[in-house]
Amino acid sequence: MIISGVKTMMSLEKEVGEKLKKLREKKGYTMRYVGEKLGMDYSYISKIEKGHLPSIKVLKEIAELYGATLSDLFGESQQVPDELKEIGVEWIFFAKEMKEKQLTPDEVRRYIEVINEFKNKI
């Protein structure tokens, strides 16, 4: 599904999962092997390949095991808008994580303000 030329997050997650699956199969790795190498259950690898994206750290570990980079997973074939490229993948996933935790942007801003006030008093 494309909204105003921008792929939805679900579409992006599914495409990244499919890329990971293709990379894994190209290497001849089983999900069980990948899970063992990375210290996680192979069923989690299956979830990732179906579009449930993990943390950036885990995603990077998987990509490196496959001889790829994060930019390979989120490369130009994803048609990422320039604004999002400038922001960076980490910030996109941070925003998703905050939404999953049901935090609003205003709440996150307030938490940052409180932390900065605390840091300034130290």
Side-chain angles (χ1 to χ4, degrees):
M1 179 174 168
I2 299 181
I3 300 174
S4 302
V6 177
K7 293 186 180 188
T8 65
M9 186 58 111
M10 279 181 36
S11 174
L12 178 65
E13 290 170 341
K14 183 173 173 136
E15 287 185 33
V16 170
E18 289 171 359
K19 279 187 177 184
L20 287 169
K21 181 178 181 178
K22 287 178 185 175
L23 287 168
R24 178 181 57 76
E25 290 174 341
K26 186 176 179 182
K27 287 283 192 181
Y29 297 160
T30 64
M31 284 187 260
R32 190 171 302 275
Y33 172 81
V34 173
E36 288 172 3
K37 289 295 274 185
L38 299 176
M40 59 186 68
D41 193 87
Y42 74 92
S43 64
Y44 188 53
I45 303 302
S46 176
K47 285 181 182 179
I48 293 168
E49 290 182 359
K50 290 178 182 170
H52 175 82
L53 290 186
S55 69
I56 294 296
K57 179 181 181 264
V58 170
L59 196 57
K60 185 177 180 187
E61 288 173 357
I62 295 170
E64 288 175 352
L65 179 64
Y66 298 164
T69 64
L70 287 177
S71 61
D72 293 333
L73 302 177
F74 297 94
E76 290 299 319
S77 64
Q78 296 296 322
Q79 300 176 353
V80 177
D82 288 339
E83 305 87 50
L84 294 180
K85 287 179 194 172
E86 292 172 11
I87 292 172
V89 173
E90 293 86 3
W91 286 103
I92 295 169
F93 281 99
F94 176 76
K96 181 181 178 229
E97 184 180 344
M98 293 302 101
K99 185 174 181 180
E100 288 172 355
K101 292 180 179 184
Q102 299 180 340
L103 290 171
T104 67
D106 287 335
E107 289 172 322
V108 173
R109 283 185 197 98
R110 181 63 189 139
Y111 292 140
I112 292 169
E113 289 172 8
V114 169
I115 291 168
N116 283 334
E117 288 174 18
F118 181 73
K119 281 181 12 183
N120 291 334
K121 291 181 180 182
I122 294 180

